[in-house]
Amino acid sequence: MDRYITSYKNITLWQVTRESLPAVVKFVVNENYMHHKGKEFDIHCFSKDYYSVLTEEEAYFEYSSTIVAKNDLGCIVGAIRITNWNDNPHTLPLIKIFGNEIVNPQKLLNSYYHLWHIGRFAIKQEYGNNGKLFKLLMLYAISPIFQYKEGVLLAEADEKLLRVMKILRIDAHPLSKGKEYIGSMTIPMMVTKEGLTEFMLNNVFMAFDIRFDSGKVQLPERVKVLEGTHNYPFGYWAHNKDNRYLHI
């Protein structure tokens, strides 16, 4: 059974179980095809991509947190997945798509100590216009990164998503030219924990009550400081039904 995280208006966020992966993958692949190919797309290509993505997600599951947004009918309207790659034996999706000349995972680990990959991001068009759902999904996806002093995140995104991330003060850097993947032109990108911090501080109030280790950072006035517990890797634990804590 999927694990409830929080709600926002008529939307609820859930951390999914392995049994829900087929539904999540179907949603993500379908949204990619509908957004980039329109209604007239090759069903054979769709099926091939669906089974390929499902195989990957099943392999990555124990190293990942997959989060979905559902409407009041229980239908998926948004999704995102973050995977830790420190001890992950699988090949990074970025390397699968673009080859091993783009990044060296071991060098990234030597420099940043914690390596993450974010993917399977999709939002149903009618739920994405005001940007709130994008921010919520992103906040919960990247929150495990903020449990550590250092970290770096890899992802693949289309040009539109890359522009949105820049507007939201996510300092993402393209690593090469794009390549078609699951129906869209996809660009490999990298962002450090430092490059995520401004986005986190500007939007954290939407998802968490926040606390910092005293003396480590100067708190901006907009951040509310509360004593409490912190979220643990790939979990979003409620101290009570109203407050979810992020420890930085």
Side-chain angles (χ1 to χ4, degrees), residues 112-131:
Y112 297 101
Y113 305 103
H114 299 280
L115 178 59
W116 309 81
H117 177 268
I118 204 165
R120 308 312 179 207
F121 177 74
I123 294 177
K124 210 165 186 59
Q125 188 171 1
E126 57 265 40
Y127 289 87
N129 292 337
N130 63 13

Side-chain angles (χ1 to χ4, degrees), residues 180-206:
E180 184 157 325
Y181 176 66
I182 315 183
S184 67
M185 186 57 63
T186 301
I187 300 168
M189 49 151 280
M190 182 181 85
V191 55
T192 64
K193 178 191 171 185
E194 183 179 358
L196 294 166
T197 299
E198 186 172 358
F199 168 79
M200 176 63 82
L201 288 177
N202 286 341
N203 298 286
V204 68
F205 65 90
M206 294 178 59

Side-chain angles (χ1 to χ4, degrees), residues 25-178:
V25 170
K26 183 178 180 181
F27 169 78
V28 170
V29 176
N30 186 69
E31 287 303 309
N32 271 276
Y33 269 78
M34 290 293 287
H35 181 71
H36 297 285
K37 300 290 188 183
K39 293 183 179 180
E40 301 298 325
F41 58 78
D42 188 328
I43 192 64
H44 174 73
C45 291
F46 178 92
S47 297
K48 183 179 178 181
D49 282 338
Y50 168 79
Y51 286 109
S52 174
V53 172
L54 181 59
T55 299
E56 278 193 350
E57 293 310 301
E58 288 176 338
Y60 300 158
F61 183 78
E62 64 180 292
Y63 305 93
S64 302
S65 175
T66 302
I67 303 164
V68 298
K70 299 180 183 180
N71 62 16
D72 50 9
L73 297 177
C75 299
I76 297 174
V77 297
I80 198 166
R81 182 261 294 139
I82 189 164
T83 304
N84 181 270
W85 235 274
N86 278 41
D87 299 305
N88 195 322
H90 301 289
T91 303
L92 276 160
L94 192 148
I95 292 176
K96 280 186 179 180
I97 300 168
F98 295 94
N100 55 15
E101 298 85 11
I102 301 295
V103 293
N104 184 315
Q106 191 55 54
K107 284 186 177 179
L108 290 177
L109 280 168
N110 291 342
S111 298
Y112 297 101
Y113 305 103
H114 299 280
L115 178 59
W116 309 81
H117 177 268
I118 204 165
R120 308 312 179 207
F121 177 74
I123 294 177
K124 210 165 186 59
Q125 188 171 1
E126 57 265 40
Y127 289 87
N129 292 337
N130 63 13
K132 293 287 180 68
L133 185 53
F134 174 97
K135 292 177 183 178
L136 271 177
L137 287 170
M138 186 64 71
L139 284 166
Y140 278 104
I142 69 174
S143 63
I145 299 171
F146 282 82
Q147 295 178 84
Y148 306 99
K149 185 177 179 180
E150 302 286 347
V152 64
L153 177 69
L154 298 174
E156 304 85 46
D158 63 25
E159 290 181 341
K160 182 180 178 181
L161 181 56
L162 202 55
R163 288 197 300 270
V164 171
M165 293 172 77
K166 290 284 189 181
I167 291 168
L168 293 176
R169 314 304 294 176
I170 296 174
D171 190 19
H173 298 277
L175 298 174
S176 79
K177 293 181 180 179

Side-chain angles (χ1 to χ4, degrees), residues 140 204-212 223-231 239-240 242-247:
Y140 278 104
V204 68
F205 65 90
M206 294 178 59
F208 298 97
D209 288 320
I210 191 168
R211 63 166 296 202
F212 289 79
V223 176
K224 183 179 180 181
V225 184
L226 288 177
E227 288 299 321
T229 187
H230 60 82
N231 64 308
H239 183 64
N240 59 48
D242 298 316
N243 297 321
R244 282 163 178 78
Y245 293 93
L246 178 66
H247 185 86

Side-chain angles (χ1 to χ4, degrees), residues 6-20:
T6 192
S7 61
Y8 177 77
K9 293 187 177 180
N10 65 331
I11 299 296
T12 53
L13 262 62
W14 303 78
Q15 187 178 25
V16 305
T17 59
R18 187 182 292 271
E19 290 72 24
S20 296

